[in-house]
Amino acid sequence: MAPTNLPVRLVFLLTFTSLVRGQGVEDSGKYPIVVSTWPFVEAVRAAWKAVDKGLDAVEAVVEGCSACEELRCDGTVGPGGSPDENGETTIDALLMNGATMEVGAVAAMRYVKDGIKAARLVMQHTKHTMLVGDRASVFAISMGLPGPTNLSSSESMEKWKKWKENHCQPNFRKNVVPVDSCGPYEPEDSMGHNVGICSAGSSIGIVDSRTSLVGPHNHDTISMAAIDKMGHVAVGTSTNGATFKIPGRVGDGPIAGSSAYADDEVGACGATGDGDIMMRFLPCYQVVESMRQGMEPKLAAKDAISRIAKKFPDFMGAVVAINKKGEHAGACYGWTFQYSVRNPDMDDVKVFTVLP
């Protein structure tokens, strides 16, 4: 009896093993894959090196984002860039595991340069999703990251000094007085000026232009996605935020669903741009859910961006999407966007350009 059932058992065992190894993926030859916002080629190479030698997607994303932090990609990732109104640089970062849906994030973190590693510590060693400010710094240092460290650089301080000399213009303040100075500021109507104009404007949908505040070189979040050899998906982000932001500001970088989102069943998305606007729409969650419903990455990306542009015609931003088939695409509005990809069919990282 046993010999008769042996072939059946072997078939079952082989089938089960195949499913475990491939997680139900039909063609594992398309993995691994690494995708990142912007031409952050060295960061993608670092992630690819990790995932290609067998590390999982989470570790690959950490390696890639860490490389970008060390390189200070475009001055908008890692220490030494994007000073706030006080001249200080702070860090926002996020890490998401698409297999478990766990998220770790830090926001407005001071004195610690390793944003993505701090986010991983939050995910691995707490039951929380996000830690912020000085308490995030204390936690990261207590868990072994180096610090406290001055995150400013000579370049960031020089940029800040020139901004101060220009009467702190442009800035992120609105409906305050004085208008053309560095403050201190007070609400406009508390001084008896223009009482009621703000409420009247908002009631008819008037929104201040933000084009002077947002651009490719002061909002370049790295948002990276990786699919490992087992078909698992992870995403991560790191940024030092908007240049001359109001101290305490948190953008979309550490917000799951806005700057990035991953789900093993579907794929992943990464975003970059005006985070204050984008986080109101959760574009990466939208992209992934659209792909879940069968939409291809190109259409899902365009749909998510168009929803924002409809409400904010001066908005600048972009998303990049990748599904479990390995198909990828980007969409943008207000600027020309580039994203980087490495997969098994490529000899090196390839940069794709997307027009608005």
Side-chain angles (χ1 to χ4, degrees), residues 71-136:
L71 292 168
R72 302 184 180 186
C73 292
D74 249 357
T76 61
V77 179
S82 299
D84 64 17
E85 285 188 344
N86 294 334
E88 184 178 4
T89 297
T90 55
I91 304 292
D92 296 340
L94 170 143
L95 183 64
M96 182 173 187
N97 185 334
T100 64
M101 306 308 284
E102 291 175 293
V103 174
V106 291
M109 185 173 68
R110 309 168 73 192
Y111 310 130
V112 177
K113 63 183 179 63
D114 300 302
I116 193 68
K117 291 179 180 178
R120 179 174 60 182
L121 288 171
V122 173
M123 186 170 73
Q124 290 180 334
H125 299 292
T126 81
K127 296 181 180 179
H128 301 308
T129 293
M130 183 187 300
L131 297 179
V132 303
D134 289 347
R135 295 290 93 188

Side-chain angles (χ1 to χ4, degrees), residues 23 31-34 46-64 95-100 102 120 123-124 224-235 264:
Q23 294 300 309
Y31 302 145
I33 306 172
V34 178
W48 174 260
K49 182 179 179 181
V51 76
D52 191 44
K53 69 181 182 182
L55 293 183
D56 65 33
V58 170
E59 291 306 311
V61 167
V62 171
E63 289 296 313
L95 183 64
M96 182 173 187
N97 185 334
T100 64
E102 291 175 293
R120 179 174 60 182
M123 186 170 73
Q124 290 180 334
M224 175 177 284
I227 306 179
D228 62 29
K229 291 181 177 181
M230 298 292 289
H232 295 309
V233 187
V235 291
D264 260 21

Side-chain angles (χ1 to χ4, degrees), residues 143-164:
M143 297 301 291
L145 292 183
T149 302
N150 181 4
L151 301 185
S152 297
S153 65
S154 57
E155 293 83 2
S156 68
M157 293 308 296
E158 183 62 27
K159 182 185 292 186
W160 177 70
K161 289 176 182 176
K162 289 182 178 179
W163 179 72
K164 295 283 283 186

Side-chain angles (χ1 to χ4, degrees), residues 18-34:
S18 175
L19 286 172
V20 169
R21 286 179 179 172
Q23 294 300 309
V25 176
E26 294 179 3
D27 180 13
S28 61
K30 57 184 170 286
Y31 302 145
I33 306 172
V34 178

Side-chain angles (χ1 to χ4, degrees), residues 180-196:
D180 298 318
S181 82
C182 295
Y185 304 100
E186 294 184 41
E188 191 174 51
D189 55 6
S190 73
M191 300 292 292
H193 298 284
N194 301 324
V195 176

